[in-house]
């Protein structure tokens, strides 16, 4: 794993952690959208991250392509277009 992939991994973990911390409040309707930009972002992106990282028993992945897809979700298309071996 290179530095850019590790940065992507850590950013995704932070988003998933934020979502997990607030998931019940969101589900119960106790969280008001717009109250926290960080939580709003986690709520919007966590399902996409979960979909990407769920892998079936017979699925074969491509680490570089998967990290690029994860970076596209986490950082947006502009940063994901950079080669993964290039640290920002």
């Amino acid at each position: 794993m290179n530095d850019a992939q590790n940065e992507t991994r850590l950013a995704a973990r932070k988003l998933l952690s934020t979502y997990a911390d607030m998931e019940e409040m969101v589900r119960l309707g106790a969280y008001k959208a717009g109250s926290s930009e960080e939580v709003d972002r986690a709520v919007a992106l966590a399902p996409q991250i979960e979909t990407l990282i769920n892998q079936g028993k017979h699925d074969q992945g491509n680490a570089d392509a998967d990290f690029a897809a994860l970076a596209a979700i986490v950082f947006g298309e502009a940063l994901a277009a950079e080669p993964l071996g290039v640290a920002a």
Side-chain angles (χ1 to χ4, degrees):
M1 179 179 312
N2 64 41
D3 289 343
Q5 290 171 333
N6 192 49
E7 181 181 345
T8 299
R9 179 186 66 85
L10 292 173
R13 284 185 59 177
K14 183 174 187 216
L15 284 166
L16 291 175
S17 176
T18 299
Y19 180 75
D21 289 346
M22 296 300 294
E23 184 176 16
E24 188 169 343
M25 301 256 314
V26 170
R27 190 176 312 127
L28 294 173
Y31 173 75
K32 181 181 175 191
S35 299
S36 166
E37 184 177 323
E38 180 181 2
V39 174
D40 291 346
R41 189 165 182 267
V43 168
L45 298 179
Q48 295 174 54
I49 294 169
E50 289 287 345
T51 297
L52 177 67
I53 64 176
N54 284 328
Q55 185 174 0
K57 183 177 179 180
H58 299 290
D59 291 343
Q60 293 185 352
N62 175 307
D64 288 337
D66 292 340
F67 271 107
L70 184 58
I73 293 168
V74 172
F75 299 121
E77 294 298 329
L79 289 176
E82 295 179 13
L84 289 175
V86 177

Coordinates of all heavy atoms in Angstrom, one line a residue:
M1 N 0.9 -1.2 0.0 CA 0.0 0.0 0.0 C 0.9 1.2 0.0 O 1.8 1.4 0.8 CB -0.9 0.0 1.2 CG -1.8 1.2 1.4 SD -2.9 1.2 2.8 CE -3.6 -0.4 2.8
N2 N 0.7 2.1 -0.9 CA 1.5 3.3 -1.0 C 0.8 4.4 -0.1 O -0.2 4.3 0.5 CB 1.7 3.8 -2.5 CG 0.4 4.2 -3.2 OD1 -0.5 4.8 -2.6 ND2 0.3 3.8 -4.4
D3 N 1.5 5.6 -0.1 CA 1.0 6.7 0.8 C -0.4 7.2 0.4 O -1.2 7.5 1.3 CB 2.0 7.8 0.8 CG 3.3 7.5 1.5 OD1 3.3 6.5 2.3 OD2 4.3 8.2 1.3
A4 N -0.6 7.3 -0.9 CA -1.9 7.8 -1.3 C -3.0 6.8 -1.0 O -4.1 7.2 -0.6 CB -1.9 8.1 -2.8
Q5 N -2.8 5.5 -1.2 CA -3.7 4.5 -0.8 C -4.0 4.5 0.7 O -5.2 4.4 1.1 CB -3.3 3.1 -1.3 CG -3.3 3.0 -2.8 CD -2.6 1.7 -3.3 OE1 -1.8 1.2 -2.6 NE2 -3.0 1.3 -4.4
N6 N -3.0 4.7 1.5 CA -3.1 4.7 2.9 C -4.0 5.9 3.3 O -4.8 5.8 4.2 CB -1.8 4.7 3.6 CG -2.0 4.4 5.1 OD1 -2.7 3.5 5.5 ND2 -1.3 5.3 5.9
E7 N -3.7 7.1 2.7 CA -4.5 8.3 3.0 C -5.9 8.1 2.6 O -6.8 8.5 3.4 CB -3.9 9.5 2.2 CG -4.6 10.8 2.4 CD -4.1 11.9 1.6 OE1 -3.0 11.8 1.0 OE2 -4.8 12.9 1.5
T8 N -6.2 7.4 1.5 CA -7.6 7.1 1.1 C -8.2 6.2 2.1 O -9.4 6.4 2.5 CB -7.6 6.5 -0.3 OG1 -7.0 7.4 -1.2 CG2 -9.0 6.1 -0.7
R9 N -7.5 5.2 2.5 CA -8.0 4.2 3.5 C -8.4 4.9 4.8 O -9.5 4.7 5.4 CB -7.0 3.1 3.8 CG -7.4 2.1 4.8 CD -6.2 1.1 5.1 NE -5.1 1.8 5.8 CZ -5.0 2.0 7.1 NH1 -6.0 1.6 7.9 NH2 -4.0 2.6 7.6
L10 N -7.5 5.8 5.3 CA -7.8 6.5 6.6 C -9.0 7.4 6.5 O -9.8 7.5 7.4 CB -6.5 7.2 7.0 CG -5.3 6.3 7.4 CD1 -4.1 7.2 7.7 CD2 -5.7 5.5 8.7
A11 N -9.1 8.1 5.3 CA -10.2 9.0 5.1 C -11.5 8.2 5.1 O -12.5 8.7 5.6 CB -10.0 9.8 3.9
A12 N -11.5 7.1 4.4 CA -12.7 6.3 4.4 C -13.1 5.7 5.7 O -14.3 5.7 6.1 CB -12.5 5.1 3.4
R13 N -12.1 5.3 6.5 CA -12.4 4.8 7.9 C -13.0 5.9 8.7 O -13.9 5.6 9.5 CB -11.1 4.3 8.5 CG -10.7 2.9 8.0 CD -9.5 2.4 8.7 NE -9.8 2.3 10.1 CZ -9.0 1.8 11.1 NH1 -7.8 1.4 10.7 NH2 -9.3 1.8 12.3
K14 N -12.5 7.1 8.6 CA -13.0 8.2 9.4 C -14.5 8.5 9.0 O -15.3 8.7 9.9 CB -12.2 9.5 9.1 CG -12.6 10.6 10.0 CD -11.7 11.8 9.9 CE -12.2 12.8 10.9 NZ -12.2 14.1 10.8
L15 N -14.8 8.5 7.7 CA -16.2 8.7 7.3 C -17.1 7.6 7.8 O -18.2 7.9 8.3 CB -16.3 8.7 5.8 CG -15.8 10.0 5.1 CD1 -15.6 9.8 3.6 CD2 -16.8 11.1 5.4
L16 N -16.6 6.3 7.8 CA -17.4 5.2 8.3 C -17.6 5.3 9.8 O -18.7 5.0 10.3 CB -16.8 3.9 7.8 CG -16.9 3.6 6.4 CD1 -16.1 2.3 6.1 CD2 -18.3 3.5 5.9
S17 N -16.6 5.7 10.5 CA -16.6 5.9 11.9 C -17.6 7.0 12.3 O -18.4 6.8 13.2 CB -15.2 6.2 12.5 OG -15.3 6.5 13.9
T18 N -17.6 8.1 11.6 CA -18.5 9.2 11.8 C -19.9 8.7 11.6 O -20.8 9.0 12.4 CB -18.2 10.4 11.0 OG1 -16.9 10.9 11.3 CG2 -19.2 11.5 11.2
Y19 N -20.1 8.0 10.5 CA -21.5 7.5 10.2 C -21.9 6.5 11.3 O -23.1 6.6 11.8 CB -21.5 6.8 8.8 CG -22.8 6.3 8.5 CD1 -23.9 7.1 8.1 CD2 -23.1 4.9 8.6 CE1 -25.1 6.7 7.8 CE2 -24.4 4.4 8.3 CZ -25.4 5.3 7.9 OH -26.6 4.8 7.6
A20 N -21.1 5.6 11.7 CA -21.4 4.7 12.7 C -21.8 5.4 14.0 O -22.8 4.9 14.7 CB -20.3 3.7 13.0
D21 N -21.1 6.4 14.4 CA -21.4 7.2 15.6 C -22.8 7.8 15.6 O -23.4 8.0 16.6 CB -20.4 8.3 15.9 CG -19.0 7.7 16.3 OD1 -18.9 6.5 16.6 OD2 -18.0 8.5 16.2
M22 N -23.2 8.2 14.4 CA -24.5 9.0 14.2 C -25.6 8.2 13.6 O -26.7 8.7 13.5 CB -24.2 10.2 13.4 CG -23.3 11.2 14.0 SD -23.8 11.8 15.6 CE -25.3 12.8 15.1
E23 N -25.3 6.9 13.2 CA -26.3 6.1 12.5 C -27.7 6.0 13.2 O -28.7 6.2 12.5 CB -25.7 4.8 12.2 CG -26.6 3.9 11.3 CD -26.0 2.5 11.0 OE1 -25.0 2.2 11.7 OE2 -26.5 1.9 10.1
E24 N -27.7 5.7 14.4 CA -28.9 5.6 15.1 C -29.7 6.9 15.2 O -30.9 6.9 15.0 CB -28.7 5.0 16.5 CG -30.0 4.7 17.2 CD -29.8 3.9 18.5 OE1 -28.7 3.3 18.7 OE2 -30.7 3.8 19.3
M25 N -29.0 8.0 15.5 CA -29.7 9.3 15.5 C -30.3 9.6 14.2 O -31.4 10.1 14.1 CB -28.7 10.4 15.9 CG -28.0 10.2 17.2 SD -28.6 11.2 18.6 CE -28.7 12.8 18.0
V26 N -29.6 9.3 13.1 CA -30.1 9.6 11.7 C -31.3 8.7 11.5 O -32.3 9.2 11.0 CB -29.0 9.3 10.7 CG1 -29.6 9.3 9.3 CG2 -27.9 10.3 10.8
R27 N -31.2 7.4 11.8 CA -32.3 6.5 11.6 C -33.6 6.9 12.4 O -34.7 6.8 11.9 CB -31.9 5.1 12.0 CG -32.9 4.0 11.6 CD -32.4 2.6 11.8 NE -31.1 2.3 11.4 CZ -30.1 1.8 12.2 NH1 -30.4 1.5 13.4 NH2 -28.9 1.6 11.7
L28 N -33.4 7.4 13.6 CA -34.5 7.8 14.4 C -35.0 9.2 14.1 O -36.1 9.6 14.6 CB -34.1 7.8 15.9 CG -33.7 6.5 16.5 CD1 -33.2 6.6 17.9 CD2 -35.0 5.5 16.5
G29 N -34.4 9.9 13.2 CA -34.8 11.2 12.8 C -34.4 12.3 13.8 O -34.9 13.4 13.7
A30 N -33.5 11.9 14.7 CA -33.1 12.9 15.7 C -31.9 13.8 15.2 O -31.6 14.8 15.8 CB -32.6 12.2 17.0
Y31 N -31.3 13.4 14.1 CA -30.3 14.3 13.5 C -30.9 15.1 12.4 O -31.6 14.6 11.5 CB -29.1 13.4 12.9 CG -28.1 14.3 12.2 CD1 -27.3 15.1 12.9 CD2 -28.1 14.4 10.8 CE1 -26.4 15.9 12.2 CE2 -27.3 15.2 10.1 CZ -26.4 16.0 10.8 OH -25.5 16.8 10.2
K32 N -30.7 16.4 12.5 CA -31.2 17.3 11.5 C -30.1 17.6 10.4 O -29.0 18.1 10.8 CB -31.6 18.6 12.1 CG -32.2 19.6 11.1 CD -32.6 20.9 11.8 CE -33.0 21.9 10.7 NZ -33.2 23.2 11.2
A33 N -30.3 17.3 9.2 CA -29.4 17.5 8.1 C -29.0 19.0 8.1 O -29.8 19.8 8.3 CB -30.0 17.1 6.8
G34 N -27.7 19.2 7.9 CA -27.2 20.6 7.9 C -26.6 21.0 9.3 O -25.9 22.0 9.4
S35 N -26.8 20.2 10.3 CA -26.3 20.5 11.6 C -24.8 20.3 11.7 O -24.1 21.0 12.4 CB -26.9 19.6 12.7 OG -28.3 19.7 12.8
S36 N -24.2 19.4 10.9 CA -22.8 19.1 10.9 C -22.4 18.7 9.5 O -22.9 17.7 8.9 CB -22.4 18.0 11.9 OG -21.1 17.6 11.6
E37 N -21.5 19.5 8.9 CA -21.0 19.2 7.5 C -20.4 17.8 7.5 O -20.5 17.1 6.5 CB -20.1 20.3 7.0 CG -19.6 20.1 5.6 CD -18.7 21.2 5.1 OE1 -18.9 22.4 5.5 OE2 -17.8 20.9 4.4
E38 N -19.6 17.5 8.5 CA -18.9 16.2 8.6 C -19.9 15.1 8.6 O -19.7 14.1 7.9 CB -18.0 16.2 9.8 CG -17.2 14.9 10.0 CD -16.4 14.9 11.3 OE1 -16.4 15.9 12.0 OE2 -15.7 13.9 11.5
V39 N -20.9 15.2 9.4 CA -21.9 14.1 9.5 C -22.7 14.0 8.2 O -23.0 12.9 7.7 CB -22.9 14.3 10.8 CG1 -24.0 13.3 10.8 CG2 -22.1 14.3 12.1
D40 N -23.1 15.2 7.7 CA -23.8 15.1 6.4 C -23.0 14.4 5.3 O -23.6 13.6 4.6 CB -24.1 16.6 5.9 CG -25.2 17.3 6.8 OD1 -25.8 16.6 7.6 OD2 -25.3 18.5 6.7
R41 N -21.7 14.7 5.3 CA -20.9 14.1 4.3 C -20.8 12.5 4.6 O -20.8 11.7 3.6 CB -19.5 14.7 4.4 CG -18.6 14.3 3.2 CD -17.4 15.2 3.2 NE -16.5 14.8 2.1 CZ -15.5 14.0 2.2 NH1 -15.2 13.5 3.3 NH2 -14.8 13.6 1.1
A42 N -20.6 12.2 5.8 CA -20.5 10.7 6.2 C -21.8 10.0 5.8 O -21.8 8.9 5.3 CB -20.2 10.6 7.7
V43 N -23.0 10.7 6.1 CA -24.3 10.1 5.8 C -24.4 9.9 4.2 O -24.9 8.9 3.8 CB -25.4 10.9 6.3 CG1 -26.8 10.5 5.8 CG2 -25.4 10.9 7.8
A44 N -23.9 10.8 3.5 CA -24.0 10.7 2.0 C -23.1 9.7 1.4 O -23.4 9.0 0.5 CB -23.7 12.1 1.4
L45 N -21.9 9.6 2.0 CA -20.8 8.7 1.4 C -20.7 7.3 2.0 O -20.3 6.4 1.3 CB -19.5 9.4 1.5 CG -19.4 10.8 0.8 CD1 -18.0 11.3 0.9 CD2 -19.7 10.6 -0.7
A46 N -21.1 7.1 3.2 CA -21.0 5.8 3.8 C -21.6 4.7 3.0 O -21.0 3.6 2.8 CB -21.5 5.8 5.2
P47 N -22.9 4.8 2.5 CA -23.4 3.7 1.7 C -22.6 3.4 0.5 O -22.5 2.2 0.1 CB -24.8 4.2 1.4 CG -25.1 5.3 2.4 CD -23.8 5.9 2.7
Q48 N -22.1 4.4 -0.2 CA -21.3 4.2 -1.4 C -20.0 3.4 -1.0 O -19.6 2.5 -1.7 CB -20.9 5.5 -2.0 CG -22.1 6.3 -2.6 CD -21.6 7.6 -3.1 OE1 -20.7 7.7 -3.9 NE2 -22.3 8.7 -2.6
I49 N -19.4 3.8 0.1 CA -18.2 3.1 0.6 C -18.5 1.7 0.9 O -17.8 0.7 0.5 CB -17.5 3.8 1.8 CG1 -17.0 5.2 1.4 CG2 -16.4 3.0 2.4 CD1 -16.6 6.1 2.6
E50 N -19.6 1.4 1.6 CA -20.0 0.1 2.0 C -20.2 -0.8 0.8 O -19.8 -1.9 0.7 CB -21.2 0.1 2.9 CG -21.0 0.7 4.3 CD -20.2 -0.3 5.2 OE1 -20.1 -1.5 4.9 OE2 -19.7 0.2 6.2
T51 N -20.9 -0.2 -0.2 CA -21.1 -1.0 -1.4 C -19.8 -1.4 -2.1 O -19.7 -2.5 -2.6 CB -22.0 -0.1 -2.4 OG1 -23.3 0.1 -1.8 CG2 -22.2 -0.8 -3.7
L52 N -18.9 -0.4 -2.1 CA -17.6 -0.7 -2.8 C -16.8 -1.8 -2.0 O -16.2 -2.7 -2.7 CB -16.7 0.6 -2.9 CG -15.3 0.4 -3.5 CD1 -15.4 0.0 -4.9 CD2 -14.5 1.6 -3.3
I53 N -16.8 -1.7 -0.7 CA -15.9 -2.6 0.0 C -16.6 -4.0 0.3 O -15.8 -4.9 0.7 CB -15.4 -2.0 1.4 CG1 -16.6 -1.8 2.3 CG2 -14.6 -0.8 1.1 CD1 -16.1 -1.2 3.7
N54 N -17.8 -4.2 0.1 CA -18.5 -5.5 0.2 C -18.0 -6.3 -1.0 O -18.2 -5.9 -2.1 CB -20.0 -5.4 0.3 CG -20.4 -4.9 1.6 OD1 -19.8 -5.2 2.6 ND2 -21.5 -4.2 1.7
Q55 N -17.5 -7.5 -0.7 CA -17.0 -8.3 -1.8 C -17.5 -9.8 -1.5 O -17.5 -10.3 -0.4 CB -15.4 -8.4 -1.7 CG -14.8 -9.1 -2.8 CD -13.3 -9.0 -2.8 OE1 -12.7 -8.3 -1.9 NE2 -12.6 -9.6 -3.7
G56 N -18.0 -10.3 -2.6 CA -18.5 -11.7 -2.5 C -17.4 -12.7 -2.4 O -16.2 -12.4 -2.7
K57 N -17.7 -13.9 -2.1 CA -16.7 -15.0 -2.0 C -15.9 -15.2 -3.2 O -14.7 -15.5 -3.2 CB -17.5 -16.3 -1.6 CG -16.6 -17.4 -1.3 CD -17.4 -18.6 -0.9 CE -16.5 -19.8 -0.7 NZ -17.3 -21.0 -0.2
H58 N -16.6 -15.1 -4.4 CA -15.9 -15.4 -5.7 C -15.5 -14.1 -6.4 O -15.0 -14.2 -7.5 CB -16.8 -16.2 -6.5 CG -17.1 -17.6 -5.9 ND1 -16.2 -18.5 -5.7 CD2 -18.2 -18.0 -5.3 CE1 -16.7 -19.6 -5.1 NE2 -18.0 -19.3 -4.8
D59 N -15.7 -12.9 -5.8 CA -15.3 -11.7 -6.5 C -13.7 -11.6 -6.4 O -13.1 -11.9 -5.4 CB -15.9 -10.5 -5.8 CG -17.4 -10.4 -6.0 OD1 -17.9 -11.0 -6.9 OD2 -18.0 -9.6 -5.2
Q60 N -13.2 -11.1 -7.6 CA -11.7 -10.9 -7.6 C -11.6 -9.4 -7.8 O -12.2 -8.7 -8.6 CB -11.1 -11.6 -8.8 CG -11.1 -13.1 -8.6 CD -10.3 -13.8 -9.7 OE1 -9.9 -13.1 -10.7 NE2 -10.1 -15.0 -9.6
G61 N -10.8 -8.8 -6.9 CA -10.6 -7.4 -7.0 C -9.3 -7.0 -7.6 O -8.4 -7.8 -7.9
N62 N -9.2 -5.7 -7.9 CA -7.9 -5.1 -8.4 C -7.6 -4.0 -7.5 O -8.4 -3.0 -7.5 CB -8.2 -4.6 -9.9 CG -6.9 -3.9 -10.4 OD1 -6.4 -3.0 -9.8 ND2 -6.5 -4.3 -11.6
A63 N -6.6 -4.1 -6.7 CA -6.3 -3.2 -5.6 C -6.2 -1.7 -6.2 O -6.8 -0.8 -5.6 CB -5.0 -3.5 -4.9
D64 N -5.5 -1.5 -7.2 CA -5.3 -0.2 -7.8 C -6.6 0.4 -8.2 O -6.9 1.6 -7.9 CB -4.3 -0.1 -8.9 CG -2.9 -0.3 -8.4 OD1 -2.6 -0.1 -7.3 OD2 -2.0 -0.8 -9.3
A65 N -7.4 -0.4 -8.9 CA -8.7 0.1 -9.4 C -9.7 0.4 -8.2 O -10.4 1.3 -8.2 CB -9.3 -0.9 -10.4
D66 N -9.6 -0.5 -7.2 CA -10.5 -0.4 -6.1 C -10.1 0.9 -5.2 O -11.0 1.6 -4.8 CB -10.5 -1.6 -5.2 CG -11.1 -2.8 -5.9 OD1 -11.9 -2.6 -6.9 OD2 -10.8 -4.0 -5.5
F67 N -8.8 1.1 -5.1 CA -8.4 2.3 -4.3 C -8.7 3.6 -5.1 O -9.1 4.6 -4.6 CB -6.9 2.3 -4.0 CG -6.6 1.6 -2.7 CD1 -6.0 0.4 -2.7 CD2 -6.9 2.2 -1.5 CE1 -5.7 -0.2 -1.5 CE2 -6.6 1.6 -0.3 CZ -6.0 0.4 -0.3
A68 N -8.7 3.5 -6.4 CA -9.0 4.7 -7.3 C -10.5 4.9 -7.1 O -11.0 6.1 -7.0 CB -8.7 4.4 -8.7
A69 N -11.3 3.9 -7.1 CA -12.8 4.0 -6.9 C -13.1 4.6 -5.5 O -14.0 5.5 -5.4 CB -13.5 2.7 -7.1
L70 N -12.4 4.1 -4.5 CA -12.6 4.6 -3.1 C -12.2 6.1 -3.0 O -12.9 6.9 -2.4 CB -11.8 3.7 -2.2 CG -11.9 4.1 -0.7 CD1 -13.4 3.9 -0.3 CD2 -11.1 3.2 0.2
A71 N -11.1 6.4 -3.7 CA -10.6 7.8 -3.7 C -11.6 8.7 -4.4 O -11.9 9.8 -3.9 CB -9.2 7.9 -4.4
A72 N -12.3 8.2 -5.4 CA -13.3 9.0 -6.1 C -14.5 9.3 -5.2 O -15.0 10.4 -5.3 CB -13.7 8.2 -7.4
I73 N -14.8 8.3 -4.4 CA -15.9 8.5 -3.4 C -15.5 9.5 -2.3 O -16.2 10.5 -2.0 CB -16.3 7.2 -2.8 CG1 -17.0 6.3 -3.9 CG2 -17.3 7.4 -1.6 CD1 -17.2 4.8 -3.4
V74 N -14.3 9.2 -1.7 CA -13.9 10.0 -0.5 C -13.4 11.4 -0.9 O -13.8 12.3 -0.1 CB -12.8 9.2 0.2 CG1 -12.2 10.0 1.3 CG2 -13.3 7.8 0.7
F75 N -12.7 11.5 -1.9 CA -12.1 12.8 -2.2 C -12.7 13.5 -3.4 O -12.4 14.7 -3.7 CB -10.6 12.7 -2.5 CG -9.8 12.1 -1.4 CD1 -9.1 10.9 -1.5 CD2 -9.8 12.7 -0.1 CE1 -8.3 10.4 -0.5 CE2 -9.1 12.2 0.9 CZ -8.3 11.1 0.8
G76 N -13.5 12.8 -4.2 CA -14.1 13.4 -5.4 C -13.3 13.1 -6.6 O -12.1 12.6 -6.5
E77 N -13.8 13.3 -7.7 CA -13.2 12.9 -9.0 C -11.9 13.6 -9.2 O -11.0 12.9 -9.8 CB -14.1 13.2 -10.2 CG -15.4 12.4 -10.2 CD -15.2 10.9 -10.3 OE1 -14.2 10.5 -10.9 OE2 -15.9 10.1 -9.7
A78 N -11.7 14.8 -8.9 CA -10.4 15.5 -9.2 C -9.2 14.9 -8.6 O -8.2 14.6 -9.2 CB -10.5 17.0 -8.7
L79 N -9.3 14.6 -7.3 CA -8.1 13.9 -6.6 C -8.0 12.5 -7.0 O -6.9 12.0 -7.1 CB -8.3 14.0 -5.1 CG -8.1 15.4 -4.5 CD1 -8.3 15.4 -3.0 CD2 -6.7 16.0 -4.8
A80 N -9.1 11.8 -7.3 CA -9.0 10.4 -7.6 C -8.4 10.2 -9.0 O -7.8 9.1 -9.3 CB -10.4 9.8 -7.7
A81 N -8.4 11.3 -9.8 CA -7.8 11.1 -11.2 C -6.2 11.1 -11.1 O -5.6 10.7 -12.0 CB -8.2 12.3 -12.0
E82 N -5.6 11.5 -10.0 CA -4.2 11.5 -9.8 C -3.7 10.1 -9.7 O -4.4 9.3 -9.1 CB -3.8 12.3 -8.6 CG -4.1 13.8 -8.6 CD -3.7 14.5 -7.4 OE1 -2.9 13.9 -6.6 OE2 -4.1 15.6 -7.2
P83 N -2.5 9.8 -10.2 CA -2.0 8.4 -10.0 C -1.8 8.1 -8.6 O -1.4 9.0 -7.8 CB -0.6 8.5 -10.7 CG -0.7 9.7 -11.6 CD -1.7 10.6 -11.0
L84 N -2.1 6.9 -8.2 CA -2.1 6.5 -6.8 C -0.7 6.6 -6.2 O -0.5 6.7 -5.0 CB -2.7 5.2 -6.6 CG -4.3 5.2 -6.7 CD1 -4.8 3.7 -6.6 CD2 -4.9 6.0 -5.7
G85 N 0.3 6.4 -7.0 CA 1.7 6.4 -6.5 C 2.2 7.8 -6.2 O 3.3 8.0 -5.7
V86 N 1.4 8.9 -6.5 CA 1.8 10.2 -6.3 C 1.2 10.8 -5.0 O 0.0 10.9 -4.9 CB 1.4 11.1 -7.5 CG1 1.7 12.6 -7.3 CG2 2.0 10.6 -8.8
A87 N 2.1 11.1 -4.1 CA 1.6 11.6 -2.8 C 1.4 13.1 -3.0 O 2.2 13.8 -3.6 CB 2.6 11.4 -1.7
A88 N 0.2 13.6 -2.4 CA -0.1 15.0 -2.6 C 0.7 15.9 -1.6 O 1.3 15.5 -0.7 CB -1.6 15.2 -2.3

